[in-house]
Structure formats: structure tokens, C-alpha cells
Amino acid sequence: MNNIKINQEKIVLLFVRFALAIGFISAVADRFGLWGNAGESGVAWGNFETFEAYVAFLNPYLHSSMIPVLSWGVTIVELVLAGLLILGLYLRSSALFSALLLLSFAIGMSFVSGVKAPLDYSVFTAASAAIMLFLYLSSDKLSQKVEIKK
């Protein structure tokens, strides 16, 4: 019975890791037009220029010269976090930084666009999943139950 519970926990942890990672990868893919062109149904940005305009909209206090830096920085961080989550490397840190990144998105979107935008895009939900993953991985209980084999 204990083995079944441990296996269920491993499956849930894997699902959360992959769901967060695929969410990051999907957002990056959208920025480079892999989901379609700007303005098409189901496409948030469609190209990097539209994404940069959205970053500028969410960060009106930033000087315009900082927008490309922030846009590329967030894009790189999302790809790195996705890779770490998929590979199972530095999971606690990856979960924590994923949560912080998603919360910063949610808060920024809330202040500029209202709370409906991050709710519609499930940003708070994804942040909660990342926080739960971090807290679970931080518990002493886990270190005894789930070991990542190399």
C-alpha cells in the first residue's frame, strides 16, 4: 500500500513539473510565432515585437531601453526553468523561481490590466502549482520518500 502512495506522488510531481515546463515553452513558442501569427485565434503574441509591446504595457515605469532586456531575460529564464523542470534538475530552486516569476507576472497583470487577466490565463493557478511543488520538495518527508536516481 505504501508503494502505491509513493508511486502516485511521483506521478503527481512529474505531472506538475511537466505542466509548468510546457506552459513556459508554449509561451516562448508563441513569442516566436510557432502557434501562429499575431491576431490569429488562440495566439497571444505571434512575434517577439508584439511580446515586447506587451512587456512595455505591463511595465510602464520602465525606460523603453529596458524593455528588450526584460523581454529577452524573461524568455531565457522561462526556457531555463522549463529545461530544469523537465530534466528534474535543481527542482526545489526551479519550483521556487517558477513561482516567483509567475507571481510577478500575475501581480503585474493585475495592476495594469485588472485581476481578470491573470485569472483568465490561469497565472495564479500555475503559480500555486509551483509553490506547492516547492513546499512539497522542501518537506523532510519527501527526502525520505522520493529519491531521484541518477
Side-chain angles (χ1 to χ4, degrees):
M1 186 70 170
N2 237 358
N3 276 345
I4 293 173
K5 184 173 183 179
I6 291 170
N7 288 335
Q8 289 171 342
E9 289 175 6
K10 285 183 180 181
I11 290 168
V12 170
L13 290 175
L14 191 65
F15 179 75
V16 171
R17 285 174 35 208
F18 276 62
L20 289 167
I22 291 168
F24 287 141
I25 291 168
S26 177
V28 170
D30 192 331
R31 291 170 207 167
F32 294 104
L34 298 177
W35 289 123
N37 296 316
E40 289 180 8
S41 176
V43 176
W45 304 294
N47 58 57
F48 207 77
E49 293 76 26
T50 304
F51 174 66
E52 284 183 322
Y54 185 66
V55 171
F57 172 72
L58 290 180
N59 299 281
Y61 51 85
L62 282 181
H63 190 272
S64 61
S65 65
M66 293 304 298
I67 297 304
V69 174
L70 182 58
S71 300
W72 279 105
V74 167
T75 299
I76 291 166
V77 168
E78 285 178 307
L79 286 174
V80 169
L81 289 172
L84 293 173
L85 288 165
I86 288 170
L87 296 173
L89 302 172
Y90 307 103
L91 283 178
R92 282 184 59 238
S93 297
S94 299
L96 176 62
F97 287 115
S98 295
L100 294 173
L101 183 66
L102 289 162
L103 281 174
S104 70
F105 291 162
I107 291 167
M109 291 169 78
S110 295
F111 279 122
V112 175
S113 301
V115 74
K116 187 174 182 322
L119 291 173
D120 286 351
Y121 288 103
S122 302
V123 183
F124 287 112
T125 305
S128 298
I131 291 167
M132 287 178 61
L133 180 61
F134 170 73
L135 293 174
Y136 186 83
L137 293 170
S138 298
S139 71
D140 292 335
K141 197 171 160 183
L142 175 73
S143 61
Q144 297 168 4
K145 284 187 180 179
V146 180
E147 294 180 16
I148 298 172
K149 297 180 182 176
K150 296 179 182 180

